[in-house]
Amino acid sequence: MANTDAQPFKIPRPYTYQDGVDYEDITGNVTLTHASGTYQFLKDNGGSFDINLPSLRNGATYWIRSRASSGGTMTIKDHTGATITTLTAGQAAHVASNGVYWLMVFKA
């Protein structure tokens, strides 16, 4: 969808994501839903786990960060099980859906 030249919407004060931040230790694979927080701070204890994204939805987005101090990997997979990217300790990725694909926007 293209942007228009209409007057932009202005937010007059800071906004928050109610229940939008998940900060947890994980011991196995994680399956996100559209009700999951936009920001995922996940810590594994040296294992290798999958982070499964939900079904496609235009505009859905997640920031996923590995809080692990060492060892282990987190493999981010789309709704079909295809690998989008793999995170090691301290890495983060931003993924978004355009309704057709899950896309990696950013990884560091």
Side-chain angles (χ1 to χ4, degrees):
M1 174 163 76
N3 290 323
T4 68
D5 60 355
Q7 181 68 26
F9 179 75
K10 295 181 182 177
I11 301 172
R13 57 189 163 273
Y15 61 91
T16 61
Y17 291 97
Q18 183 174 341
D19 299 324
V21 179
D22 293 335
Y23 187 92
E24 62 184 287
D25 293 348
I26 61 173
T27 58
N29 296 339
V30 173
T31 299
L32 300 178
T33 69
H34 291 293
S36 298
T38 301
Y39 301 98
Q40 299 287 320
F41 294 90
L42 305 173
K43 181 179 181 183
D44 64 52
N45 292 312
S48 294
F49 303 109
D50 295 340
I51 310 302
N52 301 298
L53 298 173
S55 60
L56 297 167
R57 181 182 286 178
N58 191 10
T61 182
Y62 296 95
W63 286 89
I64 302 168
R65 169 95 193 237
S66 171
R67 295 177 25 244
S69 56
S70 65
T73 59
M74 292 182 192
T75 302
I76 301 172
K77 295 185 175 186
D78 71 10
H79 64 293
T80 69
T83 297
I84 296 175
T85 191
T86 299
L87 304 178
T88 58
Q91 287 189 313
H94 182 204
V95 295
S97 172
N98 66 353
V100 178
Y101 303 104
W102 276 104
L103 307 162
M104 185 172 61
V105 178
F106 175 83
K107 180 179 174 182

